[in-house]
Amino acid sequence: MIIAVDGPAASGKGTIAKALAKHYHLPHLDTGLLYRAVAATVMRLELDPEKEADAVAACDFDELTLADPVLRDDDVGQVASIVSAHPLVRAALMQRQKRFAHQEGGAILDGRDIGTVIAPDAHAKLFVRATPTIRAQRRHAELKNRGKATSFDQVLADIRARDERDSSRSTAPLVTAPDAALLDTSFLSIDAAVAKAIALVEARTKG
């Protein structure tokens, strides 16, 4: 069984995907980490994320990079949104994601183009969303808990800027797959959101 979980930043898709992976005993891949690893490599090597050639050069990162906590930093996320818009970067990382999705037994992947590009044949697709303000509140609280000082207004501006970049890029933009079930987590607790996600997957797979 392949489950695709898509959605914008801080919508709750990662938390939901992890919970689904535990529930169904399936391996999980946060595909955003791949782009964050490229971004972190670009920043470490002092390359230009706006230049496609520089971003592609950073795609050959060490697998250990995926475990680096720096990938969760907001500035890395901003650069990840920039490098992920390059078609050649997406092409460089696509096969790795497709192999993970189609491994024996199935898998759960979360990202922005799983249900539309990486696994359009997924047995169940969820598109997780929440209002920009709610998502900014979540991200601001997360950064504060990690000791990262930043204003709420800045986090909200960053969220909106990422939404615009992710939705308007020419290659694999953030869009809802026609056959995806919508899950708005704006006013749901984590437990309630996970329960609803499981119910939606069950409905799709049994159907």
Side-chain angles (χ1 to χ4, degrees):
M1 179 167 64
I2 302 172
I3 301 175
V5 183
D6 290 304
S11 60
K13 66 181 182 295
T15 298
I16 287 170
K18 288 175 186 174
L20 289 173
K22 183 177 180 180
H23 180 80
Y24 289 106
H25 305 290
L26 289 171
H28 164 242
L29 176 63
D30 174 357
T31 63
L33 281 181
L34 301 178
Y35 294 97
R36 284 174 174 266
V38 173
T41 304
V42 163
M43 296 166 71
R44 180 172 55 81
L45 298 177
E46 298 184 349
L47 301 175
D48 185 351
E50 299 282 357
K51 293 183 178 178
E52 188 168 46
D54 281 12
V56 170
C59 287
D60 189 25
F61 55 81
D62 190 306
E63 287 294 318
L64 295 176
T65 304
L66 296 175
D68 192 338
V70 76
L71 298 190
R72 297 295 182 182
D73 287 354
D74 217 39
D75 56 345
V76 175
Q78 292 299 318
V79 175
S81 182
I82 296 171
V83 300
S84 67
H86 297 306
L88 292 180
V89 170
R90 303 201 75 85
L93 300 178
M94 183 183 295
Q95 289 309 311
R96 187 185 312 198
Q97 297 173 71
K98 283 182 175 288
R99 282 195 302 271
F100 189 93
H102 294 90
Q103 64 184 286
E104 185 176 355
I108 295 177
L109 295 85
D110 73 84
R112 285 169 172 74
D113 64 345
I114 309 305
T116 54
V117 176
I118 301 303
D121 56 342
H123 300 88
K125 301 177 186 178
L126 301 180
F127 190 90
V128 184
R129 63 187 181 187
T131 68
T133 300
I134 293 290
R135 291 189 285 126
Q137 288 172 351
R138 292 172 180 170
R139 182 53 54 83
H140 184 251
E142 177 189 341
L143 292 172
K144 189 175 180 180
N145 288 338
R146 293 171 54 202
K148 303 289 183 181
T150 184
S151 70
F152 170 78
D153 288 344
Q154 182 59 54
V155 174
L156 179 58
D158 290 343
I159 285 279
R160 286 177 168 155
R162 289 186 64 184
D163 286 352
E164 174 61 26
R165 278 197 300 269
D166 293 344
S167 300
S168 62
R169 64 185 179 225
S170 59
T171 301
L174 172 64
V175 294
T176 307
D179 54 346
L182 295 177
L183 174 52
D184 193 316
T185 66
S186 297
F187 304 105
L188 295 179
S189 66
I190 292 176
D191 288 346
V194 169
K196 189 166 184 179
I198 292 172
L200 289 171
V201 170
E202 288 293 313
R204 291 303 169 107
T205 53
K206 287 179 179 177

